[in-house]
Amino acid sequence: MLRKSDRSVDHNSMNKLIGNNLRFIRRLKKMSLMQLADKMNIKYQQVGKYELGQNQLCAFRLWQASHILGCKIKYFFDKNYINKMYGYHSA
């Protein structure tokens, strides 16, 4: 993985997108940060860093989170996912 100082703007924006979607899906499933961290067998601070886009998730962690949260991996990469779900759940 690249050092934080070597990451491009696109790289950082993708980490933030994945993190925002992770947080949204976690909250949609009514799961706390600590519950998700326990199920992933990591510290809650690490999940927080993933959600803020400060650290990037490896392929295994993406797969693990998708199985725990019961969603498809592609939802973490969808730029419009949160807006679509707000529209779906508010209708």
Side-chain angles (χ1 to χ4, degrees), residues 28 56 79:
L28 195 64
Q56 64 185 29
K79 293 179 182 178

Side-chain angles (χ1 to χ4, degrees), residues 33-34 37 42-52 54-55:
L33 197 68
M34 305 247 328
I42 57 177
K43 296 186 179 192
Y44 76 93
Q45 292 98 331
Q46 185 61 45
V47 176
K49 288 179 181 180
Y50 291 150
E51 290 184 351
L52 293 173
Q54 294 172 346
N55 288 2

Side-chain angles (χ1 to χ4, degrees), residues 23-62:
R23 176 174 280 164
F24 180 78
I25 295 166
R26 176 181 61 79
R27 289 179 173 172
L28 195 64
K29 301 290 183 172
K30 299 189 183 333
M31 187 177 288
S32 73
L33 197 68
M34 305 247 328
Q35 289 171 323
L36 180 58
D38 285 343
K39 290 182 181 200
M40 292 179 78
N41 201 26
I42 57 177
K43 296 186 179 192
Y44 76 93
Q45 292 98 331
Q46 185 61 45
V47 176
K49 288 179 181 180
Y50 291 150
E51 290 184 351
L52 293 173
Q54 294 172 346
N55 288 2
Q56 64 185 29
L57 283 93
C58 67
F60 172 73
R61 292 292 182 205
L62 279 169

